[in-house]
Amino acid sequence: MLRVGLGALAGAAIGGLLTAALVLVKGAPLTDPEILGALVVGGAMMGGVGSWWWSRRLPPMLPHYREEHQRLRQMMQQIRANLQQMTGTRAAYPELDEILAKDADLRHKATKLRLQIERQARSGLSWQDHLVAAVDLLREGGWASFKRSEWIWRAYRVKLERELSTLGRKLEQNRDAHIEQALQRAYRQKARELASFRNLERTLYTLEHESATITASVENLLMETIRLSAAPRDVSPSTDALLEPLRQQIRAYEQALSEIYRTPPEEPVEEIRLQQQ
């Protein structure tokens, strides 16, 4: 509502400026109530409607994220109706709006991260890398859980791991002191590339996990309000008690984001080498 009010004020101000411009251009009287009223009221209405639409618009996100978020919105509408039936009053319930905004933000961040991972993977792959990843997947018998959208990630990760493993073997077998430092620099660089890519994947999975947790909390609240809306009003719990899990989820969201974007410690090269063996 605050954004709508500010938008209405901005629209009214624009209407006033248009009135002044009209006075300067056409010489209309500044005190003409019809002109002044029409422009100010019209500007306020347009500003309010524009702010309302802007506050409700969804940030850019992938189609399957958008579908999941729209499903969450539908559940929220049903929860509001159930709470109104339980209490007999119409309330704002800001927790519901806030959890919707958090979910939209999570899915927007996940969208950007997915696209970043895909661009990075595509730019570093050749058809031979795709073929090697396919052979590895066939040997592991992982076709049952195959997801087309994550194929490029897997192929790129396999390539980085293979190149790192090759450099590790060269380091172990090297007996030439002249190329020792060059091999170590190449190994460290490739290890950083792999660690960075793994961190991107972990961040994405964390974002998706947070969205799934939010959805599960909303589903539980929906089931609870459906059950309680059919019960006598005097035996229904307070809305504060019902909405407390969502408040906890909002606090968990803030903590999860702070942990996600905290700079992770760089993995020691020896530790990465052990993981490759």
Side-chain angles (χ1 to χ4, degrees), residues 45-276:
M45 291 178 61
M46 292 179 62
V49 171
S51 298
W52 175 84
W53 174 84
W54 186 263
S55 65
R56 290 183 61 85
R57 74 178 185 92
L58 292 180
M61 60 182 72
L62 292 172
H64 68 282
Y65 286 151
R66 185 175 295 273
E67 291 176 4
E68 293 167 354
H69 182 74
Q70 292 292 4
R71 175 174 168 268
L72 196 68
R73 283 181 175 270
Q74 293 172 1
M75 288 193 291
M76 286 298 193
Q77 292 175 358
Q78 185 62 50
I79 289 172
R80 288 181 188 276
N82 294 342
L83 291 174
Q84 182 178 351
Q85 181 178 348
M86 291 166 51
T87 61
T89 59
R90 192 183 186 94
Y93 303 120
E95 296 88 351
L96 303 184
D97 294 326
E98 187 170 0
I99 206 71
L100 276 176
K102 303 300 186 188
D103 183 77
D105 183 57
L106 280 170
R107 297 188 191 279
H108 175 57
K109 286 181 169 63
T111 293
K112 293 196 296 185
L113 196 54
R114 271 186 175 270
L115 295 177
Q116 177 186 347
I117 291 173
E118 185 174 347
R119 284 194 301 268
Q120 181 176 336
R122 284 184 182 277
S123 64
L125 287 174
S126 64
W127 68 268
Q128 294 97 332
D129 299 320
H130 284 283
L131 181 60
V132 171
V135 171
D136 290 341
L137 187 63
L138 182 62
R139 185 170 56 247
E140 296 171 5
W143 288 107
S145 59
F146 170 73
K147 292 183 179 180
R148 183 177 180 182
S149 61
E150 297 181 1
W151 167 257
I152 295 177
W153 309 1
R154 177 186 174 87
Y156 186 63
R157 191 189 323 111
V158 168
K159 174 187 178 180
L160 291 177
E161 291 171 349
R162 184 177 66 252
E163 291 176 345
L164 186 64
S165 179
T166 300
L167 287 171
R169 288 195 300 270
K170 288 182 178 179
L171 266 175
E172 293 175 356
Q173 299 170 2
N174 178 59
R175 298 295 181 269
D176 189 344
H178 296 287
I179 64 172
E180 179 73 18
Q181 290 187 352
L183 284 174
Q184 288 182 351
R185 284 195 300 270
Y187 186 88
R188 290 181 179 276
Q189 176 62 30
K190 190 60 62 176
R192 282 193 293 268
E193 291 180 22
L194 179 58
S196 175
F197 190 74
R198 285 174 174 172
N199 185 58
L200 289 177
E201 289 186 308
R202 283 194 297 266
T203 302
L204 175 62
Y205 294 146
T206 302
L207 291 172
E208 292 181 334
H209 173 73
E210 287 300 313
S211 291
T213 303
I214 286 176
T215 301
S217 299
V218 173
E219 287 175 342
N220 291 336
L221 179 59
L222 177 60
M223 292 299 102
E224 189 68 9
T225 57
I226 290 175
R227 183 182 68 84
L228 293 173
S229 59
R233 190 176 300 176
D234 56 349
V235 299
S236 298
S238 66
T239 55
D240 283 342
L242 284 173
L243 295 176
E244 182 57 30
L246 285 189
R247 299 190 188 101
Q248 294 176 0
Q249 190 59 49
I250 291 171
R251 293 191 290 268
Y253 161 88
E254 301 293 348
Q255 181 179 355
L257 278 193
S258 65
E259 293 176 355
I260 286 173
Y261 293 105
R262 184 181 301 150
T263 304
E266 185 175 343
E267 296 182 68
V269 172
E270 290 300 326
E271 182 178 340
I272 297 178
R273 184 183 301 181
L274 289 174
Q275 294 174 1
Q276 301 301 310

Side-chain angles (χ1 to χ4, degrees), residues 2-72:
L2 178 60
R3 290 184 179 179
V4 175
L6 292 176
L9 288 176
I14 293 174
L17 291 176
L18 289 176
T19 302
L22 214 65
V23 170
L24 293 176
V25 173
K26 294 187 175 181
L30 184 61
T31 58
D32 190 334
E34 295 181 358
I35 297 176
L36 180 62
L39 289 177
V40 171
V41 173
M45 291 178 61
M46 292 179 62
V49 171
S51 298
W52 175 84
W53 174 84
W54 186 263
S55 65
R56 290 183 61 85
R57 74 178 185 92
L58 292 180
M61 60 182 72
L62 292 172
H64 68 282
Y65 286 151
R66 185 175 295 273
E67 291 176 4
E68 293 167 354
H69 182 74
Q70 292 292 4
R71 175 174 168 268
L72 196 68

